[in-house]
């Protein structure tokens, strides 16, 4: 293992360790904040609400602290440990922290809002604002930590490693090489997105009608996010001298890989569920990152010491040929 690989592995370990520590701190802080108002809490705290907005699950106040600590700590720590095992601490570590903020904020926040309430008021309590605020906070913290931990480019780029039988374009060096294609979302993706949008848009309308503004806003934002993500599944893939870019709606950049960070490209076949566990921006147990929108041929970028990136594109063979031609030219220029 060379020095760069050791540095990358150490970075994953550090990201996982810091994320685990933050999860513990977030969990302890949330439970401590709730403990400080324990004398104001009702004997039975609402912890689950039915479709009609009425509380239908309760927990004794003496058990709520342990339950919230376990609920807010174990699942996020499990996510962080999975990231460590998969050497994906830079990604799953921040996700685990964001999840801890969301779960801790929701469980402790919903209980905190019930302080001083009578049993009847507890039964009709509304966790909507706790859901909305903790959800937004979880996203902000998770994304912020990911930006801190994300891998920095290797100085000077990676060495070209294009296989002899890899696809290439038969063109002279002075000829400008570029390729533009698209990702194509399969019908299965649209079905899942349609179900998800309906499952959040309908509760949003009913929540607004019932006066639960916090929950209504949360569901509406989730439905809007799913709609944008669905539209963004059809993205433009551009291969050129700067590198490979996957961009959707003119705003969302799924990937932007400089040419200096690409060692070569191949064509592979992808089964979304088997190889990546689903569709979208994914990663698998082999350490591959993926922009997966459909089954079939895909462009696989070898990023040297970084994780490979798999992109399901139209005419993956032509895309790989363009990438390999540009990478080979770059290698010649540095000889």
């Amino acid at each position: 293992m060379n020095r760069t690989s050791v540095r990358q592995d150490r970075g994953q370990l550090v990201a996982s360790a810091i994320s685990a520590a933050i999860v513990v701190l977030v969990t302890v802080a949330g439970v401590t904040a709730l403990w400080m108002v324990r004398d104001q809490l009702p004997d039975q705290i609402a912890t689950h609400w039915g479709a009609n907005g009425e509380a239908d699950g309760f927990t004794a106040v003496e058990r709520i602290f342990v339950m919230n600590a376990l609920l807010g700590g174990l699942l996020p720590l499990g996510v962080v440990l999975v990231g460590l095992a998969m050497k994906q601490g830079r990604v799953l570590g921040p996700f685990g922290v964001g999840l801890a903020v969301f779960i801790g904020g929701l469980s402790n926040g919903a209980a905190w809002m019930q302080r001083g309430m009578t049993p009847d008021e507890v039964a009709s309590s509304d966790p909507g604002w706790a859901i909305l605020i903790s959800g937004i906070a979880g996203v902000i913290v998770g994304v912020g930590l990911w930006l801190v931990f994300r891998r920095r480019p290797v100085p000077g780029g990676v060495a070209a490693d294009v296989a002899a039988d890899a696809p290439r374009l038969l063109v002279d060096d002075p000829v400008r090489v570029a390729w533009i294609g698209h990702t194509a979302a399969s019908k299965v993706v649209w079905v899942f997105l349609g179900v998800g949008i309906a499952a959040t848009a309908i509760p949003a309308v009913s929540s607004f009608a019932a006066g639960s503004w916090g929950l209504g806003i949360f569901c509406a934002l989730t439905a809007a996010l799913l709609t944008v993500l669905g539209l963004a599944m059809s993205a433009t893939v551009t291969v050129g001298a700067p590198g490979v870019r996957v961009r959707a709606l003119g705003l969302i950049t799924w990937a932007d890989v400089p040419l200096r960070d690409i060692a070569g490209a191949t064509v592979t076949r992808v089964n979304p569920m088997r190889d990546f566990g689903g569709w979208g921006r994914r990663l698998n147990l082999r350490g591959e990152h993926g922009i997966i929108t459909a089954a079939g041929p895909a462009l696989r970028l070898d990023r040297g010491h970084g994780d490979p990136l798999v992109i399901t594109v139209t005419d993956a063979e032509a895309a790989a040929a363009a990438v390999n031609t540009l990478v080979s030219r770059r290698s010649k220029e540095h000889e």
Side-chain angles (χ1 to χ4, degrees):
M1 182 179 292
N2 58 41
R3 184 175 301 175
T4 302
S5 298
V6 171
R7 189 183 304 117
Q8 299 289 8
D9 286 345
R10 186 182 298 121
Q12 301 285 5
L13 177 60
V14 170
S16 296
I18 293 176
S19 297
I22 295 176
V23 167
V24 173
L25 288 175
V26 167
T27 303
V28 171
V31 174
T32 300
L34 187 62
W35 175 263
M36 293 176 66
V37 297
R38 62 189 182 281
D39 294 335
Q40 304 175 41
L41 297 175
D43 293 335
Q44 293 291 320
I45 297 175
T47 53
H48 189 273
W49 289 260
N52 60 355
E54 293 291 323
D56 58 6
F58 301 86
T59 299
V61 66
E62 59 269 15
R63 296 174 53 194
I64 194 69
F65 306 103
V66 174
M67 187 186 78
N68 285 1
L70 294 176
L71 187 65
L74 291 183
L75 180 58
L77 280 176
V79 172
V80 174
L81 290 176
V82 169
L84 178 62
M86 294 174 60
K87 295 184 178 180
Q88 295 295 333
R90 298 178 188 271
V91 176
L92 290 182
F95 180 78
V97 172
L99 186 62
V101 171
F102 173 65
I103 295 176
L106 174 57
S107 58
N108 293 302
W112 186 84
M113 293 173 67
Q114 297 173 48
R115 65 196 191 285
M117 287 186 175
T118 64
D120 289 340
E121 291 173 332
V122 169
S124 60
S125 61
D126 180 9
W129 289 111
I131 295 174
L132 177 62
I133 294 171
S134 58
I136 293 175
V139 171
I140 292 174
V141 172
V143 172
L145 199 59
W146 172 77
L147 290 173
V148 172
F149 287 154
R150 63 178 176 170
R151 180 181 285 112
R152 302 300 188 267
V154 177
V158 300
D161 185 20
V162 181
D165 59 347
R168 305 170 193 252
L169 298 177
L170 300 177
V171 295
D172 296 329
D173 285 351
V175 177
R176 179 174 177 269
V177 173
W179 179 88
I180 297 177
H182 298 85
T183 61
S186 67
K187 294 180 180 179
V188 176
V189 173
W190 291 113
V191 170
F192 276 110
L193 284 171
V195 172
I197 292 169
T200 50
I202 294 174
V205 174
S206 61
S207 296
F208 285 134
S212 179
W213 292 98
L215 182 59
I217 293 172
F218 177 81
C219 291
L221 288 175
T222 303
L225 178 61
L226 288 174
T227 301
V228 171
L229 289 177
L231 295 174
M233 294 290 273
S234 296
T236 300
V237 183
T238 305
V239 176
V244 178
R245 171 178 285 187
V246 184
R247 193 172 178 85
L249 304 177
L251 297 171
I252 301 174
T253 300
W254 289 115
D256 192 356
V257 187
L259 190 65
R260 67 175 183 274
D261 294 337
I262 301 175
T266 55
V267 177
T268 185
R269 291 195 66 84
V270 169
N271 180 306
M273 288 302 299
R274 181 193 65 205
D275 299 327
F276 286 90
W279 295 261
R281 194 67 162 86
R282 316 289 294 185
L283 58 87
N284 62 22
L285 295 175
R286 296 189 297 273
E288 295 175 323
H289 288 247
I291 300 173
I292 310 301
T293 60
L299 171 67
R300 185 180 189 275
L301 299 178
D302 178 1
R303 295 192 282 183
H305 305 301
D307 300 319
L309 176 63
V310 178
I311 310 168
T312 53
V313 296
T314 55
D315 201 352
E317 184 84 15
V323 172
N324 288 331
T325 301
L326 290 166
V327 170
S328 297
R329 284 185 180 180
R330 185 201 71 200
S331 179
K332 291 179 181 179
E333 291 172 357
H334 288 82
E335 288 179 352

